[in-house]
């Protein structure tokens, strides 16, 4: 056995041993810790949201969510910057793309509106059902990906995508600051009435926050996809 083969095997054995040790010694907690118990008992009363998990993410852990969307924004910016300065080989242009098949083109025309509507449904109803801004934004971006697959020569406005992303991000931060001024902390959803529990207009500002997150995430993913497609087109 060569050294090149032995090293991965040793690392795999060490990793397997570590996971086995953790699994063999795992003992589930008999009861929730103090923080988890507070979330479980108080989230519905304080936020008015039916979906406890998403309510925690967007209110109690709102700063974490802000950090996550910031990381995604930086990723999209870096991808665009790197690809914009990359030197593509010559000999191919956008006119060299083969036309898409009729099945893909027709399917895209039928499915994209449904995908966009479903993405909007996911982030608008994040306080009621599983989902939220990140999931809905990714679904919206998948509609754009399908459009690029159906028509590789398609061009989307970077300016429009940038304006949607920046406006959603700025409004998100403003809502967070309003929570500090008018309620109990950053992104406190009680800046708006909690409404009737279980209805679409409930949970205070959570639906509005999720709409902003969905638009921001969708725009950031779309920016990455557009940058990648344009680089491939230039090759």
């Amino acid at each position: 056995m060569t050294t090149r083969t032995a090293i991965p095997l040793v690392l795999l054995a060490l990793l397997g041993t570590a996971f086995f040790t953790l699994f063999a010694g795992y003992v589930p907690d008999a009861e929730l810790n103090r923080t988890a118990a507070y979330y479980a008992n108080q989230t519905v009363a304080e936020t008015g949201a039916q979906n406890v998990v998403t309510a925690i993410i967007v209110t109690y852990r709102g700063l974490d969510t802000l950090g996550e969307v910031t990381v995604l924004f930086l990723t999209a910016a870096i991808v665009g910057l790197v690809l914009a300065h990359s030197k593509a080989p010559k000999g191919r242009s956008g006119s060299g793309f083969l036309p898409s098949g009729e099945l893909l083109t027709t399917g895209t025309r039928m499915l994209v509106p449904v995908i966009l509507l479903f993405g909007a449904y996911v982030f608008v109803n994040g306080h009621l059902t599983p989902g939220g801004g990140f999931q809905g934004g990714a679904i919206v971006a998948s509609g754009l990906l399908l459009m690029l697959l159906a028509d590789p020569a398609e061009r989307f406005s970077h300016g429009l995508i940038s304006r949607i992303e920046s406006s959603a991000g700025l409004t998100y931060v403003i809502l967070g600051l309003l929570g500090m001024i008018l309620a109990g902390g950053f992104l406190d959803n009680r800046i708006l009435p909690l409404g009737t529990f279980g209805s679409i207009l409930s949970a205070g500002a959570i639906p509005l926050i999720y709409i902003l997150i969905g638009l921001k995430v969708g725009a950031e993913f779309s920016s990455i996809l557009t940058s990648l497609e344009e680089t491939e087109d230039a090759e």
Side-chain angles (χ1 to χ4, degrees):
M1 181 182 296
T2 64
T3 304
R4 186 174 182 180
T5 305
I7 292 177
L9 292 177
V10 171
L11 293 176
L12 183 61
L14 292 174
L15 186 61
T17 302
F19 275 104
F20 176 78
T21 303
L22 292 173
F23 178 76
Y26 173 73
V27 178
D29 293 333
E31 58 184 18
L32 296 175
N33 60 45
R34 183 176 179 182
T35 302
Y38 180 86
Y39 287 158
N41 297 327
Q42 302 298 325
T43 297
V44 172
E46 291 185 354
T47 67
Q50 182 171 292
N51 189 337
V52 173
V53 175
T54 54
I56 293 171
I57 292 173
V58 82
T59 54
Y60 298 112
R61 303 181 64 88
L63 284 174
D64 292 349
T65 303
L66 177 60
E68 291 165 2
V69 295
T70 301
V71 169
L72 185 57
F73 164 73
L74 292 175
T75 302
I78 291 171
V79 168
L81 182 63
V82 171
L83 294 181
H85 289 82
S86 63
K87 295 182 179 180
K90 298 179 180 180
R92 179 177 163 185
S93 63
S95 60
F97 282 115
L98 295 175
S100 301
E102 183 178 351
L103 180 61
L104 179 58
T105 303
T106 304
T108 298
R109 292 173 181 171
M110 296 176 60
L111 290 177
V112 166
V114 178
I115 291 173
L116 297 180
L117 182 62
F118 180 62
Y121 170 85
V122 168
F123 59 69
V124 168
N125 287 270
H127 60 300
L128 301 177
T129 59
F134 278 91
Q135 296 88 338
I139 294 172
V140 169
S142 70
L144 182 138
L145 175 60
L146 185 58
M147 295 173 64
L148 291 176
L149 292 175
D151 185 3
E154 182 76 32
R155 287 292 175 269
F156 296 95
S157 171
H158 281 285
L160 177 60
I161 294 175
S162 177
R163 285 192 292 272
I164 293 174
E165 191 278 332
S166 343
S167 301
L170 178 61
T171 309
Y172 176 87
V173 173
I174 291 174
L175 285 179
L177 296 176
L178 287 176
M180 297 177 63
I181 298 170
L182 303 177
F186 185 78
L187 280 180
D188 193 318
N189 65 308
R190 290 171 295 182
I191 59 175
L192 294 177
L194 296 184
T196 304
F197 179 77
S199 66
I200 188 67
L201 295 178
S202 62
I206 290 181
L208 179 58
I209 294 171
Y210 265 139
I211 290 173
L212 296 173
I213 294 176
L215 292 174
K216 183 173 176 60
V217 171
E220 287 164 349
F221 277 130
S222 298
S223 176
I224 294 174
L225 292 172
T226 303
S227 297
L228 290 172
E229 192 274 339
E230 289 179 354
T231 301
E232 182 181 357
D233 185 15
E235 293 180 353

